[in-house]
Amino acid sequence: VEADIRTGAAALFGSDTVGVYVPSTGSWFLRNDNSPGAADLVFGYGPPGIGWLPLKGDWDGNGTDTAGLYDPVNGNFFLRNTNTGGGADLVYGFGPSGLGWIPLVGDWNGDGVDTVGLYDPVNGNFFLRNAHAPGAADLVYGFGPAGLGWIPLSGDWDGSASDTIGLYDPVNGNFFLRNAHAAGGADLVYGFGPAGLGWNPLAGDWNGDGTDTIGLYDPANGFFFLKDMHAPGPADVVFGYGPANSMPILGDWNGL
């Protein structure tokens, strides 16, 4: 979450809005508002149809999130500093390839720049890197049960200006969020939305208050369900956006 020079509490932080990535065509459709409507940014980035995974982050610390891709076969990250077609601005390998590890993005050390990480679902360990370069992980720890198909996510859950990790249990619909980069119990645990339907967990600062909360994406119908507080209950924002069966991608696309 980036600081903003505008006055008023609601304007101190940028807000995250929706987007979708269509892997069959390598197309990105990003929207600057959490509502239905046309995309504000449309571009192609990366090779289509080969299983690369979409990412977003503020790779250069300018206050705006831009696109990235992770190649799980070779373990390489391809990060772009503008939301336009073109070549990657940053390319590097991190971690082992071909093992089904899941990529993550966050500002792990609070320096204003997002970097990458990996989650090993077999052993339940997180491997987080603080620099855009190959090398060993700067942070390594286990969190949550391993081997159960829980899905990792990251966010600034407590408004501390640094991101930490979490897990989503798709079978029971519960979120388990941690406020420290260390093994231990979850600091926040709650259920949200229906369980067992294959919905995708999301994280972002939907209302610009400086704290990331969670959401869900229904890929079958293309609907987003966003929650503004860490508590069970109905979604605060619900809308459809983009073609169904896309991959959701959430970020602050305009730095506002």
Short mmCIF file of all heavy atoms in Angstrom, two decimals, residues 25 67 200:
data_model
loop_
_atom_site.label_atom_id
_atom_site.label_comp_id
_atom_site.label_asym_id
_atom_site.label_seq_id
_atom_site.Cartn_x
_atom_site.Cartn_y
_atom_site.Cartn_z
N THR A 25 -5.09 -16.57 -24.50
CA THR A 25 -4.67 -15.53 -25.43
C THR A 25 -3.55 -14.65 -24.87
O THR A 25 -3.01 -13.81 -25.59
CB THR A 25 -5.85 -14.62 -25.80
OG1 THR A 25 -6.36 -14.00 -24.62
CG2 THR A 25 -6.97 -15.43 -26.45
N ALA A 67 1.96 -5.88 -14.32
CA ALA A 67 1.81 -7.31 -14.59
C ALA A 67 3.12 -8.06 -14.41
O ALA A 67 4.23 -7.52 -14.52
CB ALA A 67 1.28 -7.51 -16.01
N ASN A 200 -11.87 -18.81 -6.14
CA ASN A 200 -10.49 -18.40 -5.91
C ASN A 200 -10.39 -17.36 -4.81
O ASN A 200 -11.11 -16.35 -4.84
CB ASN A 200 -9.90 -17.80 -7.20
CG ASN A 200 -9.97 -18.72 -8.38
OD1 ASN A 200 -10.50 -18.37 -9.43
ND2 ASN A 200 -9.43 -19.92 -8.24
#
